[in-house]
Amino acid sequence: MREVRIFFMQAKLSLMAASIFRANFILMLIQSIINTLLHVACMNFIYGSVAEIGGLNREEMLVLICTSMVINQLFRAFVNGNQMRFVEGIADGSFDHMLLRPIGILFQINTGKVDFSSLASAFCPAIILAVNLGRLDKTIPFWWFGLYLLLCLMGLVILSAFMVCLYSLAFRFVRVSGLNNIYYILMNISERPQELFPQKIFMGCFLFAIPAIPIANIPVRVMLGRTGPEGVLIQMVVCVLFLSGAKAAVMAGIRRYTGGGG
């Protein structure tokens, strides 16, 4: 596929650029290690007083938190910087170049530069995740783990599509950099067990309005056998809805866009 070839070419160029700034790469890696260890220390402190939180024991909670952290780092590595370039392009008129290229607009918005320092930062939480999976008092079938990886990928797509929907407001308001705060809130909520939001109105809000639950909760619950096919179905529905919403939001914005900053 042409998109795949373009993606790998962009990744190769990004790797060449990252090799020039090795210090930044190392600092990001150290920051990720410290951040992950602080999460582990915090959980050890909390679970010293309680046995479960939202029905999850210490190991299961760390699996949830590390899943959210890995997806977050993958988003920052592959998507976040390119979406910010999209927002800046609307403001300064360089978005015109995207419209002229013979390739899908959503592909261009979400891909391009790869941040290898953020990608490397995913390794530490991934290691903690693997260690705590091995400590669980249950055997996880291989196909459950495979389904978990697929749902995590869908969670990354949902997060990316949600942020595109938000950033599409730049077509109307031009400056929307403050929307990054919603991204940070979203990722903080995604680290919490969904059982902490039992009311249906909260569940609906964090599924279909601010999709915090599908990012990490549903993949982890499916892998741990805490939900059945309905969890997979919900993940698929949310993914399709936000992808459709992102495309519709961008197309509506393009109809308003006049170039040179809207």
Side-chain angles (χ1 to χ4, degrees):
M1 287 180 62
R2 179 177 56 177
E3 287 81 1
V4 175
R5 292 198 303 270
I6 292 174
F7 173 79
F8 280 108
M9 289 175 60
Q10 293 169 333
K12 181 179 178 180
L13 292 173
S14 298
L15 182 60
M16 293 170 62
S19 64
I20 301 175
F21 303 99
R22 297 183 182 89
N24 180 65
F25 181 89
I26 295 173
L27 288 174
M28 285 291 293
L29 189 58
I30 293 174
Q31 178 184 345
S32 171
I33 293 173
I34 293 174
N35 188 35
T36 305
L37 293 180
L38 285 176
H39 273 81
V40 173
C42 182
M43 286 300 101
N44 286 335
F45 176 76
I46 294 174
Y47 277 95
S49 303
V50 298
E52 292 183 346
I53 299 176
L56 301 182
N57 59 33
R58 175 186 174 278
E59 288 74 21
E60 291 170 336
M61 179 65 79
L62 284 173
V63 167
L64 173 61
I65 291 174
C66 289
T67 297
S68 177
M69 293 176 70
V70 169
I71 294 174
N72 182 32
Q73 292 301 332
L74 292 178
F75 173 77
R76 296 176 69 87
F78 294 106
V79 181
N80 187 55
N82 301 302
Q83 290 186 348
M84 296 309 299
R85 181 195 60 191
F86 157 65
V87 173
E88 294 167 359
I90 296 173
D92 61 25
S94 60
F95 180 68
D96 295 350
H97 300 298
M98 288 189 180
L99 296 176
L100 295 174
R101 293 170 185 155
I103 195 167
I105 190 66
L106 284 182
F107 177 82
Q108 293 186 67
I109 290 173
N110 291 289
T111 63
K113 180 182 178 182
V114 177
D115 185 351
F116 280 93
S117 58
S118 294
L119 182 60
S121 297
F123 284 110
C124 187
I127 292 172
I128 302 296
L129 169 63
V131 169
N132 282 278
L133 281 177
R135 292 177 176 175
L136 294 176
D137 56 354
K138 62 178 68 176
T139 301
I140 298 176
F142 179 78
W143 72 273
W144 281 13
F145 184 72
L147 186 58
Y148 159 80
L149 294 178
L150 177 60
L151 294 177
C152 285
L153 178 60
M154 292 175 65
L156 177 60
V157 172
I158 291 169
L159 173 59
S160 302
F162 173 73
M163 295 308 298
V164 169
C165 291
L166 288 183
Y167 289 143
S168 294
L169 293 173
F171 286 110
R172 184 176 182 86
F173 301 106
V174 183
R175 299 296 180 184
V176 293
S177 56
L179 292 176
N180 273 334
N181 294 328
I182 298 179
Y183 158 67
Y184 293 118
I185 293 172
L186 175 66
M187 295 313 300
N188 282 331
I189 296 174
S190 72
E191 296 179 357
R192 310 297 191 265
Q194 69 177 60
E195 287 81 4
L196 299 182
F197 310 99
Q199 294 85 355
K200 290 184 179 180
I201 186 171
F202 283 109
M203 284 288 291
C205 175
F206 294 128
L207 274 172
F208 301 107
I210 303 175
I213 291 176
I215 292 176
N217 266 272
I218 292 180
V220 170
R221 287 175 61 84
V222 168
M223 180 176 62
L224 297 179
R226 291 178 174 268
T227 187
E230 66 276 8
V232 179
L233 180 61
I234 290 174
Q235 188 84 334
M236 294 174 62
V237 169
V238 174
C239 186
V240 171
L241 285 176
F242 275 96
L243 275 176
S244 301
K247 184 175 182 180
V250 171
M251 292 299 105
I254 289 175
R255 288 193 290 270
R256 293 180 53 90
Y257 180 72
T258 57

